[in-house]
Structures are given as C-alpha cells and as structure tokens.
Amino acid sequence: MPHEVRGVVARSRGAEVSLETILVPDPGPGEALVQVQSCGVCHTDLHYREGGINDDFPFLLGHEAAGIVEEVGADVTDVAPGDFVILNWRAVCGQCRACLRGRPWYCFATHNATQKMTLEDGTELSPALGIGAFAEKTLVAAGQCTKVDPAASPAAAGLLGCGIMAGIGAAINTGGVTRGDSVAVIGCGGVGDGAIAGASLAGAAKIIAVDVDDRKLEWARGFGATHTVNSRESDPVEAIRALTGGNGADVVVEAIGRPETYEQAFYARDLAGTVVLVGVPTPDMKIELPLLDVFGRGGALKSSWYGDCLPSRDFPMLVDLYLQGRLDLDGFVSETIGLDGVEEAFARMQRGEVLRSVVML
C-alpha cells in the first residue's frame, strides 16, 4: 500500500509552492523508502520552481536531505532499515566507462528510483534531482542513501547532500587545494562558504573571500577566510593580486555562475593556476576570452559538478570531521522551518538573508 505523506509541490512555472498529499510506493528492487528528518532549501529547488531545470511539472521539491531508512526492496545490501543516511543525487552505477576507469565520481549512468511518487489523483511527480525530500517520506534508489554516523545532527548532516558538499569538493577534489596554497572564492553563499571551509581543511595558507555583501563576507571569515574583498568597493582581480604578491591565487573558485565573475576568476589566478567553476550558469550565458590568454596563462580551467564527490567516500569522512569539531556544518544552518515555510524561505534566500534554511520533520 502506498504511504500518504505531506510534500511540497511546484505545479507550474513561477507559481508559489503548495503543501499537498503525496503517495509514496513501497520500495521495489534496488529502492529504499526513507523517513526524511531534514532537508535544506537550496537554490536548485528554486530553479526547479522557476522552470530553469526543465518543464517536467509538477515537481516534488527538496534534495539536500538526511533521514532514516524505513524499508528497502529486494537486492538491497548496502543499507538497512534503521540506518541514518544522507541522500545523494548521484548514485553511481559501477558499470559505465567512468566507473570502470576508476573514476566513479564522473559516473555517466547514475541511478534513481524506478517507481513514481504521485499526487492523490495519480499525477506522477518529478522529484528534484531524483530525490524529492520536502516530504515526510521519499522513495529513492538505494544507492542514493549513504550511511553515516547517527550522532550527527540531521540538520547539519543533510547539507552535505548538495550545496556544502559541492563547495568543499570544488576546493579539495576539483581544485586540488593543498597545504600552503592561496585560494580565492568568488561568491560567499552556501556553496562558496563550503569551498572556503574545504580550503581551510586542506591547509590553504591564504583564503580570500569575495562578495558584494559585507554580511556574507563576515560569515565567510567564520568558515576560514583570512581576507575579504567587497567587489562593490574595489576591483576583485586587483585586490586578489595585491594579497598574493602581485601574482594571483593558486586556485580560484567561482561560486556564482556568471560570465563576469568567471572572467574575474580567470584573471585573478596565478600563472599555471586553476579556475574551478562550481556556480551554476543559465543556458543563455556565454563567455568570451582572448584565446591567447587562455594559452599564455597555462594552468587549468575546470568545472565541478557536485564537488566531484564520491558520496560513499566523502560523506562519512566529512561527518566524522564535523563530529570532531573540525568542520562547522552547524554554522551553515541559518534557521529551521517546517514544510509550510518553504516559499518564505525562498524569498529570504533570494534576499541573501540566510546561508541555509533547513526544513525539519
């Protein structure tokens, strides 16, 4: 029998979300039913509501989540009922060309649940990033469940399911930040501050936070930024160079996803340095750079999808660092809300008033 639960649905482009009754099937082969305990309000959910991802309405929103496995289907061996898990939206297949080359974080055939969650009238829902966790329960592929230490706060741990992991991974996994490096991060929202926290964990000697909001720059200092630059008041490229002996930073993380800030990142890096794009652009955006500069400056221009993370490796490690007091995940939680507070949380996020609003169930 399907489970009747409450969930947050986006029915049409730009319309306010609604709290509705959702029917969640029992798990089939390779699937898991998860009782959601927490789910962060991420910009990606707003992109879904605005039709910026695709037009497969209605959407069941929410994806940055943690909870308890309630039931598993046949052939599931990695998780069991009662496990505390973080949900991930890239359950690796183990069989594609990336996985077989030993690069599963690039998996080209990730898994989602086969069965569909629906509205009461049978309308099939499209779960955000294959998860749909603004709901009391959700159905996912079992590989989307990563077991972690249950001592962790669900509100904090769930944030590793998307934005904070994307930022940490952009610095450590994609950017390869290591001891003594200089790092600049352009954009100090949740993802950017995740990159700052990751650079700090990796032992960067200098971490420069760039934003237009002094409040966000102050938050960035709390996650490890050693210097801040308000780009409304000074040229960020010149400021970063001035703070790095005139050279530019070894790694520059662009966490906004705009052509003008990507160009700033390109010119703010040292020769042979690395630019990491983790901010998500819109389909219409284009960038133009002199090809001679691309050639002459050397180094690497990389994009980072989900922080190039491998959930089975990275989530437990980062939760352990959190429990040791070495990674302040609690600092990302600006407020906790109920399922009925998502629309207002979107507005606060757009105004830059919060790093993360977290739905608690």
Side-chain angles (χ1 to χ4, degrees):
M1 292 292 292
H3 304 256
E4 284 194 13
V5 301
R6 296 179 306 150
V8 176
V9 174
R11 282 187 171 266
S12 60
R13 183 188 297 264
E16 289 192 1
V17 299
S18 53
L19 187 56
E20 307 201 22
T21 298
I22 306 300
L23 302 182
V24 183
D26 287 325
E31 296 175 339
L33 178 69
V34 177
Q35 178 187 346
V36 179
Q37 293 182 310
S38 70
C39 188
V41 180
C42 177
H43 274 89
T44 302
D45 293 303
L46 183 59
H47 291 329
Y48 272 107
R49 194 200 72 173
E50 297 301 304
I53 305 293
N54 57 53
D55 291 317
D56 295 337
F57 291 95
F59 293 109
L60 176 58
L61 299 181
H63 61 279
E64 197 176 69
I68 302 294
V69 175
E70 186 170 298
E71 187 179 348
V72 298
D75 304 321
V76 174
T77 58
D78 289 342
V79 293
D83 285 347
F84 176 60
V85 296
I86 299 172
L87 300 184
N88 74 79
W89 47 270
R90 287 184 58 74
V92 301
C93 73
Q95 299 297 321
C96 71
R97 60 193 185 279
C99 289
L100 293 176
R101 289 173 180 171
R103 304 170 186 169
W105 48 90
Y106 293 136
C107 179
F108 302 127
T110 54
H111 295 312
N112 293 318
T114 301
Q115 299 181 88
K116 295 292 187 179
M117 295 178 279
T118 69
L119 296 173
E120 285 185 290
D121 64 2
T123 301
E124 291 187 352
L125 292 164
S126 299
L129 290 176
I131 292 178
F134 285 155
E136 292 161 329
K137 296 180 184 180
T138 191
L139 183 74
V140 295
Q144 293 179 273
C145 300
T146 304
K147 184 179 178 180
V148 296
D149 192 326
S153 157
L159 298 183
L160 292 174
C162 188
I164 310 311
M165 181 71 254
I168 293 173
I172 296 177
N173 296 333
T174 313
V177 175
T178 190
R179 295 183 303 276
D181 279 351
S182 58
V183 178
V185 177
I186 300 176
C188 298
V191 174
D193 282 348
I196 288 167
S200 181
L201 279 171
K206 187 169 291 183
I207 304 172
I208 304 162
V210 180
D211 204 284
V212 297
D213 187 334
D214 284 332
R215 173 176 47 189
K216 288 186 176 181
L217 292 172
E218 188 58 34
W219 291 343
R221 283 192 177 274
F223 294 106
T226 59
H227 300 77
T228 59
V229 175
N230 187 319
S231 54
R232 285 194 193 277
E233 300 172 358
S234 58
D235 183 314
V237 176
E238 293 306 316
I240 291 168
R241 286 179 176 170
L243 290 166
T244 54
N247 300 316
D250 297 310
V251 179
V252 183
V253 177
E254 200 278 359
I256 299 174
R258 297 191 58 82
E260 58 270 32
T261 46
Y262 185 84
E263 184 172 333
Q264 290 168 355
F266 179 81
Y267 287 109
R269 66 177 177 140
D270 197 358
L271 292 174
T274 299
V275 174
V276 177
L277 174 65
V278 67
V280 181
T282 57
D284 59 303
M285 292 179 176
K286 300 181 185 298
I287 188 161
E288 183 174 317
L289 290 168
L291 191 57
L292 183 61
D293 284 357
V294 175
F295 172 78
R297 296 182 67 81
L301 306 178
K302 297 183 175 184
S303 59
S304 184
W305 223 46
Y306 207 1
D308 289 338
C309 79
L310 184 59
S312 61
R313 174 195 66 195
D314 294 338
F315 289 3
M317 173 192 68
L318 293 172
V319 166
D320 286 347
L321 291 173
Y322 162 69
L323 292 172
Q324 294 166 20
R326 297 167 62 190
L327 175 60
D328 182 18
L329 294 177
D330 292 318
F332 289 95
V333 181
S334 301
E335 62 174 358
T336 57
I337 60 174
L339 281 172
D340 58 355
V342 169
E343 188 66 37
E344 291 79 7
F346 281 151
R348 287 191 290 276
M349 180 176 65
Q350 288 182 296
R351 293 193 297 266
E353 297 173 359
V354 293
L355 278 178
R356 274 296 186 272
S357 302
V358 179
V359 174
M360 298 298 296
L361 296 103

